[in-house]
Amino acid sequence: MRQRHGVTAVILVLAVCGGAILLLVAGEVVAVGWPELGAGFRAGPADLRPELFNTLYMVGAALVLSVPPGLLAALWRTEERAPRILEDVASLLSSLPSVTIGLGLFVLLIATSGWPFSRAAGIVALTAMNLPWMTAASIPVLRQVGESRRQASLALGASVWATVVRVVVPEALPGLVAVAAVGAARLVGEAAALLFTAGVNAPARFSWSPWAPGATLAIRLFRVGTESLHPDARAMAGAAGIVLLLFTLVLLGVAGVLQRYLRRRAGIVDGTEGRFGR
Amino acid sequence: MAVLSRYGLEPVLLGRVFEPARGRFGLIPFIWGSVVVGLMALVVAVLFGVSLALAVGRRVPERLRGALGRGLSIFVALPSVILGWWGLETVVPLVRQVFGGPGFSLLAAGLTLGVMITPTLAALSLAAVEGVPRLLEEASDALGAHPDQTLLGLTLPAALPGIARAVVLAASRALAETMAVQMVIGSQPVARLALNLPGSTLTTGILVNMAVWPPGSPAGQSLTVMAALLLVGAWWLSRQLTDRSDPA
Amino acid sequence: MSEEVILETDDLSVAYYSQTALRRVSLSVPAGTVMAVIGPSGCGKSTLLRVMNRLAERSPGARITGAVYLHGENILARDTDLSHLRRRVGMVFQQPNPFPFSIFDNVAYGPRLLGERRHEVLRDTVERSLRQANLWDEVRGKLRRPALSLSGGQQQRLCLARALAVGPEVLLMDEPTASLDPVSTARTEELIEGLKHRYTIVLVTHNLQQAARVSDYTAFLDRGTLVETGPTPVIFTAPRERRTEDYLTGRLEG
């Protein structure tokens, strides 16, 4: 018989190589950054804490500003049959290169309106990124809510709003958590939209001000990795990479646990938690 | 957009030189970079991503499948600066060693970007592979197909609509990516055939020139044109998604 | 009706993990006949069928002992070429399961596995198989249409054509009409009648009338054991075993 398992062999070899390369990426970050990781949490040139705080501050604020309106827009489309154009525009904008958002806001806020490179400008950029994502990615999740349960609720005399609050959102909640988590992970790793809005510096002294410079961990990794002349720059970039990696992992992990908890509470047994492409 | 009316549509869109200081705003270098880097990335990602999907979906023991799938979807969320930095550390020296030149190159960008979009392509293709009914594969086996024949002759074609969607989504990520490319491409606004030499893409071109030229200036406006091109590209790709819904 | 035995199980037992599915089944299928296998749900009918083309061993935890002879050759032997075996022993499943390809590509799938690439040969095979499955007149000129656009009954006949296209000697049919409407069921039964001179058919069915109508021999399985087998008229009118009689008169179901 001809070629028994040739195809399988080729596929397995390619898959193992692909998997190994991905692990290598993570491994290299850890290997290079590990020696400087301690220094990242002490005062000095390697200190990562200002960037870590900026990341939390800006991503947190952007989520607060973008998740509720994004969800509302999605609900408007699925529950109130808002025009299809809303969905199309949202999904187009969510696949738009983030650097174009950076360009637009740089022109609008920094160059024209005279804002400083700041957390505030960065928050606007991250909000502009996440709003279309939240809308576009929530719509299919909301659509999966069984139409019969919607109609059952409406047939009992519940208003559309009450149906949304009591039936639609609770049932879709695990999926919505996944959407929000992937959105947050996108923001945490974002740099192109922030380089010329939030800027490349972090405040020298701790501050809550939204007008303080807003460099994040991702910006620091980019900046130190490509431009720094510091002798330990390589390891410093690696350390920023480790923290960024851990940040993302913790975010997705917490979201996963939350999803499982919500599922179990809702009595949904099926364990295929959201695999989302971006 | 004044730059278009003043310099003409053709010299801008089809001009092969981008030298704002000398009043030349040709965007071909960026378009060429985006296309060639994106295509290289897709080749890499399809090779690894589809193999990963088929291997994890159909050739790996049942109990490992869930963990591997979850692992893949974590890599989907890997920040692109991390990929860019890895490209800087690993791919750039590799390209320099093997192909000569400075290492920072279209090729390095294509490879780095390819690794970056592999998890996206793999995770979405995996969902497509897992969606192929076992019943069909059993029917193929019952016709006397070898395991390899069933995999290539049935599972792969049956999963193809989903895999095509995965490829389109991966392509739109590749087109949109800025940082991972910027860190390894060498950033020269020149259209070259030699892949081992530096280049530039639409996204990195915007990033690099954004803060250099005042927004109202012709150079600043040419960046707007580049952004518009990206928008058209993203729109065209998202059209491919809706048009290619499954038959039957 | 020739009495040469083409397919024979000898002391065949199958278990999934610790659960016995078939216990020491010895059954002979004469060539060119229709053998109906009947019995209550979970009696091992489908397992018996799936041992005959060795799909059963793919189920998790399956252990198979005994022998299955095809023309006197034990197909459970370790060195059996599974592809070759499955081309000789075709199968039609309970649910119509056409591949998501065109009608033509579905039927041509098997010949292509064998390396056939010449279009004229494939075309002839496709037409002959579709004719045998009584589907040709309905799909002629529409061979490029997706198979999934056919109705359920048509899909099932397409699956039959697909199985016939590799030229099997034996056809295993696992409740082929279970998901079809009465009209499609009647057409499929007619088809079985027409095919039995050329192929040996093992038909698992829930439907006793169907077994009585189309089969020459009947085997009655209960809880993994072969209770009784013999010519269909004998089994249905004068069964030797009490359990068979009870089942046929509806006292055992469930």
Side-chain angles (χ1 to χ4, degrees):
Chain A
M1 291 288 124
R2 295 163 302 130
Q3 21 98 345
R4 264 278 143 106
H5 295 289
V7 177
T8 297
V10 169
I11 282 168
L12 284 178
V13 166
L14 279 172
V16 167
C17 287
I21 291 173
L22 291 175
L23 289 176
L24 225 73
V25 174
E28 179 146 354
V29 171
V30 174
V32 172
W34 189 253
E36 281 289 306
L37 189 59
F41 293 89
R42 285 192 301 270
D47 195 355
L48 284 171
R49 287 171 298 179
E51 281 88 356
L52 180 59
F53 179 72
N54 272 352
T55 309
L56 282 165
Y57 185 109
M58 289 161 54
V59 170
L63 287 176
V64 168
L65 290 175
S66 61
V67 169
L71 183 57
L72 280 178
L75 283 166
W76 188 37
R77 168 78 179 125
T78 59
E79 309 306 308
E80 292 280 22
R81 309 269 184 270
R84 195 195 146 87
I85 184 88
L86 173 80
E87 187 176 348
D88 291 343
V89 168
S91 78
L92 178 61
L93 288 182
S94 69
S95 67
L96 196 64
S98 56
V99 70
T100 59
I101 292 173
L103 172 65
L105 291 175
F106 169 73
V107 170
L108 205 70
L109 299 179
I110 313 288
T112 312
S113 309
W115 289 26
F117 288 124
S118 58
R119 291 166 176 166
I123 290 167
V124 174
L126 294 181
T127 305
M129 264 186 74
N130 202 43
L131 196 58
W133 160 261
M134 196 62 208
T135 308
S138 298
I139 287 174
V141 174
L142 293 170
R143 287 224 172 96
Q144 283 192 347
V145 175
E147 190 57 34
S148 74
R149 279 182 292 280
R150 266 197 197 103
Q151 287 178 1
S153 166
L154 293 171
L156 289 170
S159 66
V160 169
W161 173 243
T163 303
V164 164
V165 172
R166 286 165 191 277
V167 177
V168 179
V169 170
E171 187 172 333
L173 208 51
L176 294 175
V177 166
V179 168
V182 174
R186 269 162 48 111
L187 300 190
V188 168
E190 180 56 34
L194 295 180
L195 208 52
F196 294 109
T197 51
V200 291
N201 297 305
R205 264 168 307 163
F206 180 82
S207 149
W208 282 100
S209 166
W211 302 110
T216 61
L217 286 168
I219 299 262
R220 180 183 171 86
L221 172 53
F222 170 68
R223 188 83 189 299
V224 177
T226 56
E227 293 172 11
S228 174
L229 299 173
H230 193 280
D232 289 333
R234 205 169 155 251
M236 279 159 58
I242 294 181
V243 178
L244 193 54
L245 207 59
L246 279 178
F247 203 132
T248 312
L249 278 179
V250 168
L251 192 64
L252 294 180
V254 168
V257 170
L258 188 60
Q259 267 174 283
R260 256 185 299 265
Y261 164 75
L262 289 171
R263 279 232 170 74
R264 203 168 316 130
R265 210 184 53 170
I268 304 168
V269 206
D270 174 28
T272 50
E273 56 255 23
R275 283 210 194 101
F276 282 95
R278 326 208 309 214
Chain B
M1 295 178 198
V3 67
L4 290 180
S5 55
R6 189 155 140 214
Y7 294 88
L9 188 64
E10 221 181 276
V12 172
L13 285 182
L14 298 178
R16 295 178 50 188
V17 182
F18 185 80
E19 276 178 304
R22 298 188 184 183
R24 306 219 280 184
F25 303 102
L27 299 186
I28 284 291
F30 305 108
I31 298 171
W32 164 250
S34 277
V35 168
V36 88
V37 168
L39 286 181
M40 282 191 287
L42 278 183
V43 169
V44 171
V46 166
L47 219 55
F48 287 134
V50 174
S51 298
L52 273 166
L54 287 173
V56 174
R58 285 298 182 260
R59 285 293 181 270
V60 146
E62 200 89 37
R63 62 207 142 79
L64 289 178
R65 193 164 299 151
L68 288 173
R70 270 194 294 280
L72 270 181
S73 53
I74 285 174
F75 276 104
V76 172
L78 199 64
S80 63
V81 272
I82 289 186
L83 259 307
W85 181 76
W86 171 79
L88 194 66
E89 290 274 314
T90 312
V91 181
V92 168
L94 188 78
V95 169
R96 188 187 304 138
Q97 232 165 41
V98 179
F99 298 97
F104 292 94
S105 56
L106 296 167
L107 181 60
L111 295 176
T112 305
L113 197 54
V115 172
M116 188 189 107
I117 60 176
T118 292
T120 304
L121 207 152
L124 292 170
S125 302
L126 177 59
V129 168
E130 284 178 333
V132 176
R134 293 283 179 169
L135 204 60
L136 296 188
E137 290 167 327
E138 207 167 44
S140 170
D141 292 340
L143 287 169
H146 303 305
D148 274 4
Q149 288 176 320
T150 297
L151 195 69
L152 274 197
L154 182 75
T155 313
L156 186 62
L160 213 52
I163 293 177
R165 288 179 61 85
V167 171
V168 172
L169 275 167
S172 74
R173 265 199 86 182
L175 181 72
E177 182 51 37
T178 311
M179 303 314 286
V181 177
Q182 172 60 23
M183 291 167 89
V184 298
I185 200 171
S187 204
Q188 288 182 7
V190 191
R192 290 192 174 103
L193 285 176
L195 299 181
N196 63 337
L197 294 177
S200 208
T201 66
L202 287 167
T203 53
T204 64
I206 293 176
L207 187 78
V208 169
N209 291 291
M210 189 190 307
V212 180
W213 311 98
S217 69
Q221 287 173 359
S222 63
L223 298 187
T224 314
V225 176
M226 287 157 72
L229 286 177
L230 284 168
L231 182 73
V232 170
W235 175 80
W236 183 78
L237 282 171
S238 71
R239 278 286 304 270
Q240 304 309 301
L241 283 183
T242 41
D243 288 353
R244 209 162 291 169
S245 50
D246 322 6
Chain C
M1 217 179 283
S2 90
E3 289 302 311
E4 179 212 356
V5 168
I6 182 169
L7 192 61
E8 187 176 10
T9 71
D10 182 26
D11 210 17
L12 177 70
S13 297
V14 179
Y16 300 116
Y17 296 109
S18 57
Q19 189 144 18
T20 304
L22 286 179
R23 186 175 296 136
R24 313 196 63 171
V25 170
S26 297
L27 177 71
S28 302
V29 183
T33 64
V34 177
M35 163 76 77
V37 182
I38 59 172
S41 305
C43 69
K45 302 185 297 264
S46 286
T47 298
L48 177 63
L49 220 54
R50 275 151 200 270
V51 177
M52 292 174 170
N53 65 353
R54 290 191 57 178
L55 278 181
E57 65 205 44
R58 294 157 46 98
S59 305
R63 270 182 306 113
I64 303 171
T65 56
V68 179
Y69 297 101
L70 179 64
H71 285 302
E73 188 188 335
N74 185 4
I75 62 166
L76 295 187
R78 195 172 283 256
D79 62 351
T80 300
D81 181 338
L82 289 185
S83 297
H84 186 60
L85 166 70
R86 287 168 184 167
R87 275 169 210 140
R88 294 166 72 192
V89 183
M91 185 160 194
V92 177
F93 295 77
Q94 182 171 355
Q95 291 285 332
N97 55 358
F99 301 141
F101 310 147
S102 70
I103 294 170
F104 185 92
D105 289 342
N106 262 275
V107 186
Y109 186 87
R112 281 181 176 143
L113 289 178
L114 289 161
E116 185 57 69
R117 289 284 173 274
R118 287 165 298 175
H119 187 74
E120 320 80 71
V121 179
L122 288 174
R123 232 209 103 79
D124 290 348
T125 311
V126 168
E127 177 172 346
R128 179 164 29 83
S129 308
L130 285 170
R131 277 187 194 283
Q132 284 185 19
N134 274 346
L135 190 60
W136 176 250
D137 294 332
E138 291 155 71
V139 301
R140 175 213 306 260
K142 302 189 229 168
L143 297 180
R144 289 288 154 209
R145 291 261 195 94
L148 293 168
S149 66
L150 297 174
S151 73
Q154 289 174 324
Q155 287 188 11
Q156 192 60 303
R157 277 177 281 144
L158 179 67
C159 293
L160 177 61
R162 184 176 68 189
L164 294 176
V166 284
E169 303 164 46
V170 179
L171 268 181
L172 308 175
M173 304 182 116
D174 188 2
E175 303 200 32
T177 61
S179 63
L180 301 185
D181 61 85
V183 176
S184 299
T185 299
R187 295 195 65 160
T188 308
E189 287 179 9
E190 258 170 57
L191 202 52
I192 294 171
E193 290 275 5
L195 288 171
K196 75 176 175 193
H197 305 293
R198 222 178 308 187
Y199 306 93
T200 306
I201 295 172
V202 184
L203 171 73
V204 162
T205 181
H206 240 103
N207 180 333
L208 295 181
Q209 277 91 33
Q210 182 170 71
R213 277 193 299 265
V214 302
S215 71
D216 305 302
Y217 294 89
T218 295
F220 172 56
L221 281 178
D222 188 20
R223 273 164 277 166
T225 48
L226 177 64
V227 178
E228 186 170 357
T229 178
T232 298
V234 177
I235 294 278
F236 273 84
T237 54
R240 274 169 288 138
E241 298 287 331
R242 180 66 192 272
R243 273 155 82 191
T244 313
E245 195 177 343
D246 284 347
Y247 179 68
L248 293 174
T249 50
R251 288 193 208 124
L252 205 90
E253 191 71 61

